[in-house]
Amino acid sequence: MKISVIGLGYLGATHAVAMAKLGHSVIGIDNDPAKAEALNKGEIPFFEPGLSQALSEVISQGKVQFQSSHDENSASADIHFLCVGTPQSPDGSANTSYLYAAIEDLAPHLSQTALVVGKSTVPVGTAQELKNKLQSLVGFEPRIVWNPEFLREGTALEDSLKPDRIVIGYWHKEDSLPLLVAYEKLIKAGSPVVELDVPTAELVKVAANAFLATKVSFINAMAEVAEVVGADAVALSKAIGYDERIGNKFLRSGIGFGGGCLPKDIRGFIARAEELGVGQALSFLKEVDGINERRRQRVIELANKELGSLSGKNITVLGISFKPNSDDLRESPALEIARSLARAGAKVTVTDPKALHGLSDENLKPEPDTYTSLENAELVILATEWDEYKKLDPVQAKSKVANATIIDGRNVLDVSAWQAAGWKVIALGRTIRNG
Ligand code: UDX
């Protein structure tokens, strides 16, 4: 099939490559000409494992091309995927203006038979408004379905090519048919298809992210309690996770969730529910957000307690991306902690295998080499659980620092090995006896 993918950020770039890998002929469109040009050269503007290689492959097969506006070629696409961002507005709601801009650009090129597929995360009700708007622009009833995307950064391509479900919301069942053809290989490989109405499809995405955020904040709330009573949130998580109704996934306590989706999506969901008069139903999500913010603050408190005062102290933060295998700094708890420490007067060195290029903070000293970053540190904070930090040699690390104390913000270190090497280990939600 011929496919256009509109918006080439994390979602769109990955989706364009995935569709090309499925054998379709893909035209990626982004109104930033520099982005389109870079992608044509095989350059991805962010780090995502495997994506660069897959892009080069589909470019060499002539399966994908990128451009900054629609043309005759893109106008003849069978499907147009809307993949633009819906960032958080200052009031917490989702900003859908890029979606409206995208359909205004698309309208003059839209044929009556082409299918428009919304993939962006939107407040429930947006698809209907977009459809009305598009109809007023084109003068016929456009074919639209809503097909939310659940990819995770770090495993984005794999998630796109092996989705655990394909959700399709439609007004007219026949409109889903071209999408079923486009995804035929995924469906044959076993991904279940869930067909439903459009508002439910919009809700599935935000509900899933709200649930995931709630799971993380739930275990982090238990961590708050555990810290007071001398209990262990990691052991607690393992023990409750054996109950299949609870499950052991997404129950890792630590400095909390960040990234371009979970924080923004719960705030957008709260804002939309309030607009709809059902704010009370989601008021618990405010606490989910609050628990998440408090975990970052807890690390600052622990650092303060450990060092007496933060002013002038050398602190090294291991990891600044919001999660490993990503260079995304959006809402990163690790980066936020590093910034707070610097604001309190600490001399903060930060290191990260992939994300340092995105750092624009003059108060943080970037150091790409992990062991060098530890030199003279009076406190080390493990903030993002990159494999290389999990595998750090505590003996070698100790030879670099001025004071061998580490806060494990992700509960990933082998505490006894670090203690045996002479470290004092502090962890979130755990009471660790040192020395
Ligand atoms: C999320 C959803 O998982 C994905 O389905 C959706 O499409 C986009 O948003 P992503 O933002 O890539 O994906 O990250 P995810 O793996 O969900 O992690 C989010 C945050 O939660 C990270 O900061 C991570 O460190 C944190 N987290 C996750 C925890 O603190 N504990 C956990 O147990 C799991």
Side-chain angles (χ1 to χ4, degrees), residues 152-211:
R152 292 161 297 175
E153 290 178 29
T155 51
L157 191 59
E158 202 183 315
D159 288 348
S160 302
L161 292 171
K162 273 189 211 148
D164 45 23
R165 76 287 209 194
I166 295 169
V167 172
I168 307 177
Y170 54 72
W171 283 281
H172 307 293
K173 187 172 172 52
E174 62 274 18
D175 291 339
S176 66
L177 297 178
L179 194 56
L180 294 173
V181 175
Y183 290 154
E184 195 180 359
K185 282 189 187 161
L186 307 179
I187 299 165
K188 278 197 175 143
S191 292
V193 177
V194 187
E195 296 186 24
L196 28 71
D197 58 85
V198 174
T200 309
E202 292 169 306
L203 272 177
V204 170
K205 176 62 194 269
V206 282
N209 277 354
F211 192 81

Side-chain angles (χ1 to χ4, degrees), residues 149-153 205 209 212 216 250-252 256-258 261-262 322-323 410:
E149 179 59 57
F150 304 98
L151 61 81
R152 292 161 297 175
E153 290 178 29
K205 176 62 194 269
N209 277 354
L212 292 171
V216 174
F250 243 75
L251 269 186
R252 282 176 283 116
F257 60 81
C261 291
L262 262 44
F322 86 104
K323 68 188 265 194
R410 294 293 187 175

Side-chain angles (χ1 to χ4, degrees), residues 277-358:
V278 284
Q280 209 182 356
L282 296 189
S283 62
F284 74 96
L285 287 178
K286 291 185 185 161
E287 197 47 42
V288 166
D289 204 6
I291 294 163
N292 199 46
E293 296 291 327
R294 286 206 294 278
R295 288 287 80 188
R296 302 169 187 199
Q297 196 46 45
R298 175 71 180 152
V299 176
I300 310 301
E301 281 165 25
L302 287 169
N304 227 325
K305 196 171 149 215
E306 197 48 38
L307 297 171
S309 118
L310 295 173
S311 184
K313 298 286 164 47
N314 292 323
I315 302 178
T316 297
V317 176
L318 299 173
I320 54 166
S321 59
F322 86 104
K323 68 188 265 194
N325 296 318
S326 165
D327 61 356
D328 198 345
L329 296 176
R330 289 176 295 171
E331 296 264 354
S332 167
L335 181 58
E336 193 41 54
I337 286 166
R339 283 182 176 148
S340 298
L341 293 166
R343 276 197 298 273
K347 290 191 235 155
V348 183
T349 301
V350 291
T351 188
D352 192 284
K354 294 287 175 193
L356 289 182
H357 69 92

